[in-house]
Amino acid sequence: MREINVSEVTKTVSKLCMDSCYYLPEELLAKFKNAAAEEESPLGREILGTIIENAELAKRKAVPICQDTGLTVVFMEIGQDVHFVGGDLYTAIHAGVADGYVNGYLRKSSVDDPLFIRKNTNDNTPAIIHTTIVPGDKVKITVCPKGCGSENMGAMKMLKPADGVEGVIKFVVDTVRSAGPNPCPPVTVGVGIGGNMEKAALLAKYSLTRKVGEHNANPQYAELEAKLLELVNKTGVGPSGLGGSTTAVAVNIEYAPTHIGGLPVAVNLNCHAARRAEAEI
Amino acid sequence: MSEQAVIKYIKTPLTEETVKGLHAGDVVRISGPIYTARDAAHKRLTEALARGEKLPLDLTDNVIYYVGPSPTKPGEVVGSAGPTTSGRMDKYTPTLIEQGMRGMIGKGLRSQEVIDACVKHGAVYFVAIGGAAAVISQSIKGEEMIAYEDLGPEAIRRYEVEDFPAIVCIDTEGNDFYKEGIAKYSKEK
Ligand code: SF4
């Protein structure tokens, strides 16, 4: 058994909040540079150039890539041989978020009550926390803040098994097309297939923690990712939704076993400011 | 439609003549004062009008920027300040255009009511590149509090901008560049 003081979690989460909001993942930046060379629309190429310039400027100045530094989503894989000491784990995560957002000059966008009061909590807490227990004695933390322009364009549908692959394709492409400019394309399309309603939604979000360029290990799903990417890029939505051939840079699918009577599908669109930072304790 | 991006340099406040000369798809650089307002400020402005009150700013010929910036780091003029989704303001926009507002800067689709008001009263909708917040901030040279300070990041501020980068999306003839641009590059049958 390994003891970890929760203060270390707080410190790590705080740093990951800042890092994720200031520094675009390198492989995504490289992807945008390729896309800028291949984009068909002259205006689209210019927009991609600005997106690249923006990411590089944010990095140099350590300022947010985008002003909407989102709700803070925290994925945590906890080794089952870890014993947390020094306080409550969830409190420690929230403290890390508060510290990162207040001291990192990140925008606080979290309201306490969603319907009636909607008062800003002023430190971006509470984080949305997803934990899984894994073998070992390490803790992996992934922080991926996400703004509402893209989060609002997500969709979920309980398809019928008879809808099959064609049904999934139609739903994903329709979702990207009707989102148009709103999720700040070029997007990464996260798709969750199977499980039940909440499982599919979580898989879609989890798929966005994947590095752009990595594919599903199952060849059939990897092939579907490639096909969906091609179809999504035919919609013409393009950079900033002003028309072009680069609507998405990746489609990531995660799947899970499901019921004999169901085929849940969830789509979560991530904007070009796809924030993600991870660390291991 | 030209393939090369010819840049038009325009000054605020906008005259009717200036906006009539702008077409959907034009790349522009805006200089002069612009005013910030998003959801909460729009609600207050239209409520004040409904009560017959005078607005805390004269909208005539002015441009409103839909933005809720990140906090300002010491040594900077403003924090990161890219556009927010304009559609949330659609409900309030026609009323403000009637008051003489000439331009809006945001990102994302607008309703038919907004497009109709642009045609009727001679106003334009510019889009800025969503998420390019650090680059956009470079063009903001000054900031002054104007109204509703209690709204924090949602308060109305005046930004003094220099060569603020944007694209004309809806012009005074009712063209919508989102539709035109996407139709041009769509490969779906
Ligand atoms: S959708 Fe993403 S890039 Fe666009 S404004 Fe929102 S957080 Fe920023």
Side-chain angles (χ1 to χ4, degrees), chain B residues 44 145 147-152 155:
Chain B
R44 284 204 194 170
M145 180 62 66
Y148 309 148
E149 194 167 353
D150 61 297
L151 293 179

Side-chain angles (χ1 to χ4, degrees), chain A residues 66-68 147-150 182-184 271-273 275, chain B residues 83 107 130-131:
Chain A
C66 178
Q67 78 286 342
D68 187 352
C148 230
S150 53
N182 290 13
C184 290
C271 41
H272 69 76
R275 283 146 291 183
Chain B
K107 62 146 184 144

Side-chain angles (χ1 to χ4, degrees), chain B residues 73-93:
Chain B
K73 244 180 132 169
E76 304 280 341
V77 178
V78 286
S80 293
T84 192
T85 306
S86 311
R88 294 195 315 268
M89 267 51 81
D90 282 358
K91 199 173 122 192
Y92 312 109
T93 299

Side-chain angles (χ1 to χ4, degrees), chain B residues 24-168:
Chain B
D26 286 352
V27 176
V28 296
R29 297 287 180 268
I30 303 167
S31 298
I34 61 174
Y35 294 85
T36 71
R38 44 180 289 157
D39 315 48
H42 274 75
K43 188 157 182 271
R44 284 204 194 170
L45 288 172
T46 47
E47 281 170 0
L49 286 170
R51 287 192 301 264
E53 291 168 14
K54 198 169 169 298
L55 295 184
L57 75 164
D58 182 5
L59 287 172
T60 312
D61 292 341
N62 276 318
V63 175
I64 283 191
Y65 180 26
Y66 307 140
V67 61
S70 62
T72 310
K73 244 180 132 169
E76 304 280 341
V77 178
V78 286
S80 293
T84 192
T85 306
S86 311
R88 294 195 315 268
M89 267 51 81
D90 282 358
K91 199 173 122 192
Y92 312 109
T93 299
T95 312
L96 300 187
I97 292 178
E98 274 165 34
Q99 291 293 309
M101 178 173 73
R102 273 283 170 229
M104 305 145 265
I105 310 171
K107 62 146 184 144
L109 306 167
R110 306 305 305 259
S111 67
Q112 191 57 45
E113 288 75 19
V114 171
I115 298 175
D116 293 345
C118 284
V119 175
K120 188 164 173 212
H121 301 279
V124 283
Y125 169 49
F126 301 99
V127 293
I129 302 175
V135 163
I136 290 171
S137 296
Q138 305 262 89
S139 66
I140 302 169
K141 306 295 181 190
E143 182 201 43
E144 190 193 335
M145 180 62 66
I146 298 295
Y148 309 148
E149 194 167 353
D150 61 297
L151 293 179
E154 295 209 43
I156 298 183
R157 294 173 169 82
R158 176 166 53 218
Y159 282 166
E160 202 52 47
V161 299
E162 226 176 84
D163 292 339
F164 182 104
I167 296 146
V168 178

Side-chain angles (χ1 to χ4, degrees), chain A residues 149-150 153-154 173-185 237 269, chain B residues 108-109:
Chain A
S150 53
M153 305 322 287
V173 177
D174 284 353
T175 302
V176 175
R177 193 191 305 103
S178 65
N182 290 13
C184 290
V237 169
L269 302 177
Chain B
L109 306 167

Side-chain angles (χ1 to χ4, degrees), chain A residues 75-110:
Chain A
F75 283 97
M76 209 165 174
E77 287 174 19
I78 304 168
Q80 64 181 11
D81 298 329
V82 169
H83 179 213
F84 289 107
V85 296
D88 162 53
L89 175 64
Y90 280 19
T91 306
I93 297 171
H94 296 314
V97 169
D99 187 72
Y101 275 69
V102 171
N103 296 318
Y105 301 93
L106 307 181
R107 202 182 81 186
K108 292 80 179 167
S109 313
S110 178

